[in-house]
Amino acid sequence: MRKICDKVLALGVQDKKRKLFDALIPLPDGTSYNSYLVTGDAKTAVIDAADPMFVDEWLNNLKETGAKPDYIVANHAEQDHSGGIVDFLREYPEAKVVTNLKCREMLSCLLHIPEEKFILVADREKLELGGLSLEFYLTPWVHWPDTMFTYLREEEVLFPCDFLGAHYASDDLFVRDEQLVYRSAKRYYAEIMMPFRPQIRKYLALAKNLNPKIIAPSHGQVYNRPEFILSAYDEWSGERTRDVLILYVSMHESVRRMAERIQRELEGSSVTVKSLDLVEADLGEVAMELVDVEAVLIGSPTVLGGAHPAAAYAAFLFNALRPKAKYLGIFGSYAWGGRMVEQLAGLVTNVKPEVLPPMVVKGLPTEEDEEKISAWTREMADNLKISH
Ligand code: FEO
């Protein structure tokens, strides 16, 4: 069994083959469902369960320790961490589920766990295990309303569940290659945590104040150098931004030419720019690039009188993930008219970036159009420099 420290063992399972999470999020590095066993002098607690697909492997890991757990702490009700609780309670019928009120409501709804199985804890309440105690910190909205941290003060181990995690499967328990994990954790932050930036800032301060020696999240590897992931979250959730991200889709080269013209124009200035073709980039790549960019430009052809679905998807994602971008620009091409610009702009309602005047051309851009695109780009770049 894998040892985190004297009183804590890792029970989790690696899911190296999974390709999609929530039938939505690509998993280039697989994922893991982490779970931990904390052994006090009098009582034993398991922190979080595993995904139902891996419940047998997880329970076998637990049985191999010979422990008879008194408690299972549910930091979060989403089934990748809670799904195994039903089988756990069948195996250990005397054990109780320790969680907060909101999480209990959700577990009752999602897993039909009866009310008498729960012990409810409030913010900053403790659970004594004998020589050890678990402290609970309610941290709603990272990323569900039920989420909480569990802190093992005597061993200085923080269990923040999804928060600070990464979809990263590995046989190494602790982070060895911070560069690899940085990318994976940023992708995870972008896809799952970014919409909750104000809450993230608050709970990041809480995690720093607790000053753990080890951070043991419920996805990815364990951090024995917590400052690595804490400073990465500080960077991603802070105010600093890079400059321009172009997200475009092109059917017959017109929009690609526009995107390339914008990129060339910016490359000749002090403004930094990155461009992604929405047909090639996956959701995670787009999300990751949105984390710290100041201006997002979405380029679309006109299809059936409106926006291309890939461009609509980018606008939808921008709206859902709520990046800190201050500017949104829409550009594109049409052959006989349509409502491409209105449709894309209409998808952005959750956030209020300054929407730049659209840049639309008819058909393949002419030389005159190219000059207009350059002027439009220079004006946007000047605005960015002013706001810097
Ligand atoms: Fe990893 Fe929100 O579940």
Coordinates of all heavy atoms in Angstrom, one line a residue, residues 1 5 23 56 86 92 106 135-136 189 224 238 247 270 302 371 373 384:
M1 N 0.8 -1.2 0.0 CA 0.0 0.0 0.0 C 0.9 1.3 0.0 O 2.0 1.2 0.6 CB -0.9 0.0 1.2 CG -2.2 0.8 1.1 SD -3.1 0.4 -0.4 CE -3.2 -1.3 -0.4
C5 N 2.3 9.4 4.7 CA 3.1 9.7 5.9 C 2.7 8.6 6.9 O 1.9 7.7 6.6 CB 2.8 11.1 6.4 SG 1.1 11.4 6.8
A23 N -18.3 12.8 -20.1 CA -18.7 12.7 -21.5 C -18.4 14.0 -22.3 O -19.1 14.3 -23.2 CB -20.1 12.3 -21.6
D56 N -14.4 -2.1 -7.1 CA -13.8 -3.3 -6.6 C -12.3 -3.1 -6.3 O -11.8 -3.6 -5.3 CB -14.0 -4.5 -7.6 CG -15.4 -4.9 -7.8 OD1 -16.2 -4.5 -6.8 OD2 -15.8 -5.5 -8.8
V86 N -21.6 3.6 -1.7 CA -22.7 2.6 -1.5 C -22.2 1.2 -1.2 O -22.6 0.5 -0.3 CB -23.6 2.6 -2.8 CG1 -24.7 1.5 -2.7 CG2 -24.3 4.0 -3.0
Y92 N -18.9 -2.3 5.1 CA -18.7 -1.8 6.5 C -20.0 -1.2 7.0 O -20.1 0.1 7.1 CB -17.6 -0.8 6.5 CG -16.3 -1.3 5.9 CD1 -15.9 -1.0 4.6 CD2 -15.4 -2.2 6.6 CE1 -14.7 -1.5 4.0 CE2 -14.3 -2.7 6.1 CZ -13.9 -2.3 4.8 OH -12.7 -2.8 4.2
M106 N -27.1 16.2 -1.5 CA -26.7 15.7 -2.8 C -26.5 14.2 -2.9 O -26.9 13.5 -3.8 CB -25.5 16.5 -3.3 CG -25.8 18.0 -3.4 SD -24.6 19.0 -4.1 CE -25.0 18.8 -5.8
E135 N -10.1 18.1 10.6 CA -10.8 19.4 10.6 C -11.4 19.6 9.2 O -10.8 19.4 8.2 CB -9.8 20.6 10.8 CG -9.1 20.5 12.2 CD -8.0 21.6 12.3 OE1 -7.9 22.5 11.4 OE2 -7.2 21.5 13.3
F136 N -12.7 20.2 9.3 CA -13.4 20.3 8.0 C -13.6 21.8 7.7 O -14.0 22.6 8.6 CB -14.8 19.6 8.1 CG -14.6 18.2 8.5 CD1 -14.8 17.7 9.8 CD2 -14.1 17.3 7.6 CE1 -14.6 16.4 10.2 CE2 -13.9 15.9 7.9 CZ -14.2 15.5 9.2
Y189 N -7.7 23.1 -14.2 CA -8.2 24.4 -13.6 C -9.1 25.1 -14.6 O -10.2 25.5 -14.3 CB -7.0 25.2 -13.3 CG -7.3 26.7 -13.0 CD1 -7.7 27.1 -11.7 CD2 -7.4 27.6 -14.0 CE1 -8.1 28.4 -11.5 CE2 -7.8 28.9 -13.8 CZ -8.1 29.3 -12.5 OH -8.5 30.6 -12.3
N224 N 4.2 17.0 -2.5 CA 5.0 17.1 -1.3 C 5.8 18.4 -1.3 O 6.6 18.7 -0.4 CB 5.9 15.9 -1.1 CG 6.7 15.6 -2.3 OD1 6.7 16.3 -3.2 ND2 7.4 14.5 -2.2
G238 N -5.1 34.9 -10.7 CA -4.8 36.3 -10.5 C -5.1 37.2 -11.6 O -5.7 36.7 -12.6
L247 N -9.4 32.4 -31.9 CA -10.0 31.1 -32.1 C -10.9 31.1 -33.4 O -11.8 31.9 -33.5 CB -11.0 30.8 -30.9 CG -10.3 30.8 -29.5 CD1 -11.4 30.7 -28.4 CD2 -9.4 29.6 -29.4
S270 N 4.1 44.9 -30.2 CA 4.5 44.3 -28.9 C 3.5 43.4 -28.2 O 3.7 42.9 -27.2 CB 4.8 45.5 -27.9 OG 3.6 46.3 -27.7
T302 N -20.0 32.0 -42.4 CA -21.4 32.0 -42.2 C -22.0 30.7 -42.8 O -21.7 30.4 -44.0 CB -22.0 33.2 -42.9 OG1 -21.3 34.4 -42.4 CG2 -23.5 33.3 -42.7
E371 N -6.4 45.4 -45.8 CA -6.0 46.7 -45.1 C -6.9 47.0 -44.0 O -6.5 47.5 -42.9 CB -6.0 47.8 -46.2 CG -4.8 47.8 -47.1 CD -3.5 47.7 -46.4 OE1 -3.2 48.3 -45.4 OE2 -2.6 46.9 -46.9
I373 N -8.6 44.9 -42.2 CA -8.4 44.0 -41.1 C -7.1 44.4 -40.3 O -7.1 44.4 -39.1 CB -8.2 42.5 -41.7 CG1 -9.5 42.0 -42.3 CG2 -7.7 41.6 -40.6 CD1 -9.3 40.8 -43.2
L384 N -5.4 47.5 -26.2 CA -4.7 46.6 -25.2 C -3.6 47.3 -24.5 O -3.4 47.2 -23.3 CB -4.2 45.4 -25.9 CG -5.2 44.4 -26.4 CD1 -4.5 43.1 -26.9 CD2 -6.2 44.0 -25.3

